[in-house]
Amino acid sequence: MFKSFRTVFAVAVFTVATYSAAAEMAGSHPDTYVVKRGDTLWDISARFLKKPWLWPEIWQANPQIKNPHLIYPGDVISLAYLDRVAVQPGPREEAPLNAIPLADIEPFLKNRRVVDSFEHLPHVAGLEEDRSRASAGHAIYVRGLEGAQVGQRFAVLRPTARFTANPRAQDLDFRGRTIRGEVDVWRDIVPQTGNSDFLGYELAQVTIATFTRDVVPGTEVSTLVVEKGGHEVRVGDRIIPVDAQPYDLHFFPHPPATQAPEGKLRVLAVADALTSGGPRDVVAISGGSLDGLDNGTVLSVWRSGSHTANRMQYPESSRISETTKSGAGRVALPDEYAAHVMIFRTFDKVSYGLVMEGTKAAMVGYELKHPDAAY
């Protein structure tokens, strides 16, 4: 009797587990799919799943494949089982697919970094012929550079923003200091957490310059010559030796390993935009490796619900109809889903993510939650 019950129970558990996994499949998923050049892992995952970030949970590559996580053009992906996806290896003649197009994020992988300080770095004190900007072939004069060798290459970096957890990204002037008199235009429309903890400075690589001459007696500067490519150099830019800072080239979408405290993760800034970004835009996020985020982590972006004036009870109220602040005479509205974001570059307290699909723009101040919160 007990043995029979145990068998029935095991079958029931397997059926429930199988149904749970199958329920995550996209309604119109194909039985098989031949991977093509230009595909991305995110797009392929979306063909089979309602939630692309659950791909690692159902992916079952053949064990003889050297790296079972990589998918190549020519591979045939199929639903080998009801709740598992398997692959028939193709010719393996081209590069493997990535979760997202590297072209969308390459400048942030190579040319952006977040640091705790930069004031100690050598800086550009002057330019050839007292120019206001220097480009390829021009000499730049650097103060504080010691021990360099002729021919050594240096990256020219520019401090661009100061990140705090409030949330906001403060623009920096040519010295890397906060612009005096800058107005916080988001104070009334972005939830103020009361936490102004410093998260880091963003440094953007401007170009590369080559060391040509050490300090000349009677001066305080070394001479470097700007190489071709990149952007113009200006006084105040910082100098560091060229280093091959490591970064991932392959990303596998997955949910966060740990749940961040409510309100902890927010959008700090949108690259190349003032306030908002859509699909394939890069955003800076107020959380990093210390918060359990790693490359490939998927989060959902949410607009915090407004607290609108109760016009039915207070029809003559002159207060602003919508605000992030609660209070008497106000009606709390629910948070609104905006988009999903996949993290591709993490630092201790700040990360960069790429906006994926969504229903509305991802804006500065919006909160980031578990990806399943959108369902």
Side-chain angles (χ1 to χ4, degrees):
M1 176 67 179
F2 178 76
K3 183 176 180 180
S4 299
F5 174 79
R6 183 172 57 186
T7 301
V8 171
F9 177 77
V11 171
V13 169
F14 175 78
T15 301
V16 171
T18 301
Y19 174 79
S20 297
E24 302 297 336
M25 293 288 182
S28 58
H29 65 77
D31 293 331
T32 61
Y33 178 74
V34 180
V35 180
K36 301 178 178 61
R37 181 190 301 177
D39 284 341
T40 66
L41 182 57
W42 182 278
D43 292 336
I44 290 178
S45 302
R47 289 177 181 269
F48 288 90
L49 302 177
K50 294 179 181 178
K51 305 174 183 179
W53 53 91
L54 294 182
W55 181 263
E57 297 185 12
I58 69 165
W59 171 246
Q60 181 176 292
N62 295 347
Q64 69 270 22
I65 298 176
K66 184 176 181 180
N67 188 333
H69 295 292
L70 300 182
I71 300 175
Y72 293 77
D75 287 354
V76 179
I77 298 175
S78 64
L79 290 175
Y81 306 96
L82 180 61
D83 61 339
R84 305 292 289 178
V85 177
V87 64
Q88 177 182 338
R92 294 295 196 272
E93 296 174 349
E94 300 184 52
L97 303 189
N98 213 323
I100 52 180
L102 282 179
D104 291 342
I105 62 173
E106 192 170 21
F108 291 84
L109 292 173
K110 293 183 176 180
N111 301 333
R112 300 277 179 129
R113 65 189 72 202
V114 178
V115 299
D116 291 332
S117 63
F118 62 86
E119 292 84 355
H120 62 288
L121 298 176
H123 68 274
V124 177
L127 307 174
E128 179 181 329
E129 298 180 338
D130 294 329
R131 296 171 179 267
S132 59
R133 299 288 189 273
S135 56
H138 291 152
I140 61 175
Y141 305 113
V142 177
R143 188 178 185 186
L145 185 60
E146 299 176 356
Q149 302 295 321
V150 174
Q152 185 175 354
R153 303 173 75 221
F154 288 84
V156 183
L157 306 176
R158 182 169 300 159
T160 56
R162 180 180 186 271
F163 294 134
T164 62
N166 203 32
R168 66 177 300 192
Q170 298 169 303
D171 291 334
L172 303 178
D173 65 13
F174 74 97
R175 299 169 299 176
R177 299 180 183 176
T178 304
I179 298 175
R180 183 173 298 177
E182 182 182 29
V183 179
D184 185 0
V185 298
W186 298 107
R187 184 168 299 279
D188 293 329
I189 59 178
V190 173
Q192 300 299 302
T193 62
N195 180 6
S196 58
D197 288 350
F198 168 72
L199 301 179
Y201 293 103
E202 180 187 66
L203 301 182
Q205 181 171 308
V206 177
T207 189
I208 302 294
T210 303
F211 185 89
T212 60
R213 186 170 56 176
D214 207 345
V215 176
V216 175
T219 71
E220 302 177 18
V221 296
S222 303
T223 304
L224 288 78
V225 174
V226 180
E227 297 184 5
K228 293 182 179 180
H231 301 282
E232 294 180 323
V233 179
R234 68 186 186 190
V235 170
D237 289 342
R238 308 287 164 152
I239 304 294
I240 65 170
V242 169
D243 64 335
Q245 57 172 338
Y247 52 82
D248 290 338
L249 287 176
H250 295 285
F251 310 95
F252 305 101
H254 60 271
T258 59
Q259 185 66 37
E262 183 177 354
K264 170 66 172 64
L265 303 180
R266 293 192 179 271
V267 176
L268 293 172
V270 181
D272 301 322
L274 179 61
T275 62
S276 59
R280 299 300 187 262
D281 282 335
V282 173
V283 295
I285 295 169
S286 61
S289 57
L290 296 181
D291 302 289
L293 300 181
D294 60 352
N295 294 337
T297 297
V298 178
L299 301 166
S300 56
V301 185
W302 292 76
R303 176 185 182 273
S304 298
S306 300
H307 293 78
T308 188
N310 187 345
R311 297 297 183 184
M312 300 299 291
Q313 185 175 358
Y314 303 101
E316 305 301 326
S317 174
S318 61
R319 296 192 298 174
I320 299 174
S321 61
E322 293 183 0
T323 178
T324 59
K325 300 177 181 178
S326 60
R330 293 200 170 277
V331 179
L333 304 182
D335 294 349
E336 300 171 354
Y337 165 72
H340 278 97
V341 166
M342 195 192 81
I343 304 298
F344 64 83
R345 189 82 167 98
T346 57
F347 299 90
D348 288 347
K349 300 177 183 178
V350 176
S351 298
Y352 292 113
L354 188 69
V355 180
M356 309 305 288
E357 87 293 336
T359 60
K360 55 173 63 72
M363 299 187 68
V364 172
Y366 280 15
E367 183 179 354
L368 293 108
K369 305 180 182 181
H370 192 282
D372 289 345
Y375 291 83

